[in-house]
Structure formats: C-alpha cells, structure tokens
Amino acid sequence: MIQTILEQAVEQALPAVELGEPASYIPELGKVDKRQLGVCVRTLDGGRFCAGDAQVRFSIQSISKVISLAAALERCGFETVFSQVGMEPSGDAFNSLVRLETSESCPSNPMINSGAITVDSYLVPVISFEEMLAFTRALCMDEDICLDERVYRSEMSNISRNRAIAYLLENKGVIRSDVERTLEFYVRMCSLSVTAESLAGFGLVLANSGVVPGTGRRLLKAETARVVKTIMLTCGMYDGSGCFAVRVGIPSKSGVGGGILSVADRRMGIGIFGPALDRKGNSVAGVKVLETISARMNLHIFADQA
Ligand code: GLN
C-alpha cells in the first residue's frame, strides 16, 4: 500500500522537474541532473519503502541546519541557543541580510543561513567536525555519509554572501567564535552527502522523539526533538513555510541540494531527493510528492481524524 502510493506520487510529480533548476550559485550543485526524483519512507514499526532515486547521494545543504540545531540544544542548552537566535519565520530568502541591518534583533530563526551560522558559532568551541559527522551518521542510520570535498571547495570559493552575513553578526556581537572557523564548520556541514533514505532515517528518529526504533538507543532528548520539529514546521521551508504548512502540513526542512527531510510524528520519517528547485530554493517535484503522500496517507498534522 505505502509502496504503491510512493511509486504513484513519484510518477505524478516527475513532469514538475522541468519547472525548476538545480542551485547554480554553488557551481558543483549546478552540475547535478535535475530530472532525478526519489522518496523513502521509514515507519516506526520497521517498514522501509523507496521509489525513484532514493539511493542517489546528494548534498545535504540546509538540512544540516537541523543537525546543528539538535547538537547545539544537546551540548549548549535551550537558553544559550535561543539567546541570540529567534524562533520566528523570517519571510525573507534563506540567505537574506536585510533584517540583520534594519532590525536590532538577532537572526530570525536557526533554519536560515544567519541563524545557522550563529548556531554553528556556539558549536565550534565545543564539538569537532568529526564528532558532528559521527552524530549525523547515527541520526541518519547511515555510516556511509561523508564530506563531499568538491562541493565543500565549490561553496568555499563562492562564500562572499555568507561571509558578509557572518561578519555582520560578529560586528553586532552575535557571533563570538572565530568567524572563518565558523564559516568552515558551516560549509562542511552543508557539504555532507546523504540519500533520501538517510533523511528518512533521521526523520524516523525525530518522529520517535529522539530514540532509534528497534534498538531503543536515545540520540536526542525528547525536548530537543520537540523543539526541532516545531521550528521545522514554522521555518523549515524558508519563505515558503506557510504555504507548505497549509498544503502538506508535515514538519519539514529543505536544502538547495534538492533534499527534503519530513517528519510525520509518531508514524514515519520521509526523505526526498529532487534537485530541480523553485525560486525559493525548495524542490519543486519533491514538494508535489509530499503533497500526494500527505493527502493519501492522511499525514497533515491537522488532518481530519474522524
Ligand atoms: N550552503 C548553502 C548556503 O549557505 C545552504 C543553503 C540552502 O540549502 N538553502 O547558501
């Protein structure tokens, strides 16, 4: 039943790959074949279902912001994390500088570049990249996750905008760690290679309040999982979060590599790969797949339960 729904969802959404383009501001991402589309679902009772390009490796990009937020909540605590980063949707593009200059407030939330760079600045003194990699592998239940050196170098040579954000934040006293080290850490996290299946694994752990189903191993406090899922719901699809919440209603986080991580709470984790992006940076066909899955499996958080 789930298998059939996934296959039909991919088939229906496939033409939409023509409506978007891969991110080209990171040149290495622009080389990816935009006609790929895949989905994986992992359920709490041990089911695993895939359709399309679910095993293709791609760049995690902004979905790593969820991992950084989770690590910072665990290592530094809620008060520290949200002392300098807000919890409100920004309504601006993910890489916008606008509010950093006009408002006195800190980055709007941890799911946009300014917020994630700030969160990473807390992590730099307390955790190594190798530990973050191990943490990511555990959360995704995928030991093959690695740093993609080419993507890393490609983004590092086109880092001006994020560098501007980071130095502005340092100037405002929001970032207190070394700016260049923080940027390197941030770009490394964005350059990890995952599959739709790895994202489904991560979604499953979040759906199960931080515990790996089957083994019972707790990777995150229940409170961390709750905070992360709530921020994903309100801010995870950048300035498309409101529309996505109405149409799909599943806490999700997208990345410009074409991935989407989605969590149907207490039911399943969903991973998507579809590198053709809309103008906001979300996977065009991926969102369509999620719309179908949400409707057919009744996954909207406010779905009629009657
Ligand atoms: N590494 C990308 C950047 O900083 C991540 C953006 C994204 O996935 N939206 O621009």
Side-chain angles (χ1 to χ4, degrees), residues 142-266:
D142 178 359
E143 286 304 309
D144 293 332
I145 293 174
C146 282
L147 176 78
D148 184 331
E149 288 284 349
R150 278 192 297 194
V151 171
Y152 174 71
R153 280 197 299 273
S154 184
E155 183 162 3
M156 282 310 279
S157 13
N158 292 275
I159 193 76
S160 306
R161 197 174 177 90
N162 283 330
R163 184 170 274 133
I165 289 173
Y167 277 103
L168 202 50
L169 291 169
E170 187 203 35
N171 173 258
K172 290 170 75 103
V174 172
I175 288 189
R176 299 203 188 94
S177 301
D178 181 77
V179 173
E180 293 301 322
R181 274 186 65 202
T182 301
L183 281 169
E184 269 173 42
F185 187 97
Y186 169 80
V187 177
R188 273 179 200 277
M189 287 305 297
C190 289
S191 305
L192 297 178
S193 273
V194 292
T195 62
E197 193 171 334
S198 350
L199 296 181
F202 184 15
L204 182 63
V205 172
L206 288 171
N208 200 32
S209 297
V211 174
V212 181
T215 70
R217 183 175 169 214
R218 180 170 286 286
L219 298 175
L220 304 172
K221 292 183 197 117
E223 192 204 344
T224 299
R226 179 174 56 78
V227 171
V228 161
K229 285 181 279 194
T230 314
I231 302 271
M232 283 168 64
L233 176 67
T234 53
C235 312
M237 304 296 280
Y238 320 118
D239 44 337
S241 298
C243 179
F244 183 85
V246 171
R247 295 169 78 108
V248 178
I250 307 174
S252 297
K253 177 77 198 92
S254 61
V256 293
I260 307 177
L261 155 74
S262 300
V263 184
D265 210 27
R266 293 178 209 295

Side-chain angles (χ1 to χ4, degrees), residues 25-26 29 60-65 94-95 111 113 117 155 159 162 186-187 190-191 238 253-257 280-281:
Y25 75 99
I26 300 173
L29 298 184
I60 192 169
Q61 293 300 319
S62 268
I63 301 166
S64 66
K65 293 174 167 79
F94 64 82
N95 56 3
M111 299 289 111
N113 291 14
I117 291 169
E155 183 162 3
I159 193 76
N162 283 330
Y186 169 80
V187 177
C190 289
S191 305
Y238 320 118
K253 177 77 198 92
S254 61
V256 293
K280 298 189 171 182

Side-chain angles (χ1 to χ4, degrees), residues 79-157:
E79 297 303 327
T80 304
V81 171
F82 290 106
S83 63
Q84 304 274 27
V85 180
M87 300 182 201
E88 303 300 339
S90 72
D92 299 316
F94 64 82
N95 56 3
S96 176
L97 287 104
V98 160
R99 275 166 209 260
L100 300 180
E101 188 58 352
T102 56
S103 80
E104 279 172 34
S105 62
C106 305
S108 307
N109 67 72
M111 299 289 111
I112 52 174
N113 291 14
S114 55
I117 291 169
T118 305
V119 167
D120 284 345
S121 78
Y122 302 139
L123 288 172
V124 161
V126 299
I127 188 166
S128 66
F129 171 71
E130 284 64 34
E131 285 175 279
M132 285 299 286
L133 178 58
F135 183 55
T136 305
R137 287 174 172 166
L139 284 171
C140 295
M141 294 178 253
D142 178 359
E143 286 304 309
D144 293 332
I145 293 174
C146 282
L147 176 78
D148 184 331
E149 288 284 349
R150 278 192 297 194
V151 171
Y152 174 71
R153 280 197 299 273
S154 184
E155 183 162 3
M156 282 310 279
S157 13

